[in-house]
Amino acid sequence: MAILYALVARGSVVLAEFVGTSTNASSIAKQILDKIPGDNDTHVSYSQDRYIFHVKRTDGLTVLCMAEDNAGRRIPFAFLEDIHQRFVKTYGRAIHTSPAYAMNDEFSRVLSQQMDYYSNDPNADRLNRLKGEMSQVRTVMIENIDKVLDRGERLDLLVDKSATLQGNTLRFRKQSRRLRSSVWWRNCRLMFTLIIVLLIISYIVVAFVCHGPLLPSCF
């Protein structure tokens, strides 16, 4: 599972974004920004093909990401919450007046780092579970993107499958390394335990031979 695209916007003004693969997700995301109804805080998800656009809007600031459908909802919304907090903490009131892409040079790197973390590090989900947060995500309905975009406006989502496959391969390699490391340590513990057992058995045998009823002593 992976988060492939993310942006931060004020209304329809994109302040920062990062694309993790070759895709036209940016164009579709901007269409979504123009069509999100009302001005109230919201959590909403829109599906298209095997991908889902997750949207979190709080106090006029919108954070959006596109993820593979198998990422579920908890991890993408945990990512959105994290990005929202980092963005507000970093830029404060400048958010309300900055022009388009004013924060992109700096904050796109943060988007990239956190996308990789929430896509690949299992601790991201564990931490979210421990915090017990994101309860509102349970009520988020995943609607088809046609609900927000007219069919005449909707673009077909294009994603470079080779880049996605490469990301999946990288995650598989990381998991394989962790598994090999776990097996190696388990074998070391088993070998250590076996050595201890053999030493104990050897000590008992020597003690029995040296102090048995037929031999007064070996020393």
Side-chain angles (χ1 to χ4, degrees):
M1 58 187 179
I3 299 173
L4 305 175
Y5 170 80
L7 67 73
V8 183
R10 182 189 67 247
S12 60
V13 179
V14 177
L15 301 174
E17 71 176 339
F18 181 79
V19 183
T21 187
S22 178
T23 176
N24 65 337
S26 177
S27 299
I28 296 175
K30 289 168 185 174
Q31 287 183 310
I32 293 175
L33 290 178
D34 289 333
K35 295 292 185 176
I36 296 176
D39 297 320
N40 297 328
D41 294 354
T42 185
H43 295 76
V44 64
S45 298
Y46 299 105
S47 66
Q48 185 173 6
D49 301 325
R50 296 187 300 104
Y51 303 93
I52 300 179
F53 290 84
H54 301 279
V55 183
K56 170 184 168 61
R57 183 170 61 193
T58 306
D59 298 330
L61 184 68
T62 301
V63 188
L64 177 151
C65 72
M66 184 190 80
E68 295 174 336
D69 57 3
N70 61 3
R73 292 176 294 178
R74 185 174 57 248
I75 291 178
F77 275 101
F79 165 78
L80 295 180
E81 177 66 24
D82 182 13
I83 292 301
H84 181 274
Q85 292 179 3
R86 289 171 182 268
F87 199 83
V88 171
K89 183 178 180 180
T90 302
Y91 299 108
R93 294 185 179 181
I95 294 171
H96 304 293
T97 57
S98 296
Y101 293 98
M103 293 83 168
N104 195 61
D105 287 347
E106 180 180 22
F107 202 76
S108 62
R109 292 192 291 270
V110 177
L111 291 173
S112 173
Q113 292 168 359
Q114 296 308 107
M115 283 167 61
D116 179 69
Y117 173 68
Y118 281 91
S119 296
N120 299 316
D121 195 326
N123 290 323
D125 194 31
R126 291 196 195 106
L127 181 61
N128 191 46
R129 287 172 184 262
L130 289 174
K131 287 181 177 179
E133 296 176 351
M134 309 305 294
S135 58
Q136 72 274 16
V137 172
R138 298 171 189 167
T139 63
V140 175
M141 299 298 294
I142 300 179
E143 300 179 343
N144 191 280
I145 201 168
D146 291 332
K147 293 279 188 178
V148 67
L149 300 181
D150 295 334
R151 286 188 177 273
E153 296 178 328
R154 202 195 82 172
L155 298 174
D156 289 331
L157 178 62
L158 304 175
V159 178
D160 186 348
K161 298 298 193 303
S162 62
T164 303
L165 180 61
Q166 184 178 12
N168 291 337
T169 302
L170 179 60
R171 289 191 292 276
F172 175 77
R173 288 175 179 173
K174 289 182 178 179
Q175 293 170 356
S176 298
R177 284 196 296 269
R178 285 196 295 267
L179 178 60
R180 286 197 298 269
S181 178
S182 176
V183 171
W184 185 82
W185 280 109
R186 185 175 61 191
N187 289 340
C188 286
R189 288 194 294 269
L190 181 61
M191 184 64 67
F192 179 76
T193 302
L194 181 60
I195 292 173
I196 294 297
V197 170
L198 289 176
L199 288 175
I200 293 173
I201 293 174
S202 298
Y203 175 79
I204 293 173
V205 170
V206 170
F208 178 79
V209 170
C210 293
H211 301 285
L214 299 179
L215 298 175
S217 178
C218 291
F219 304 100

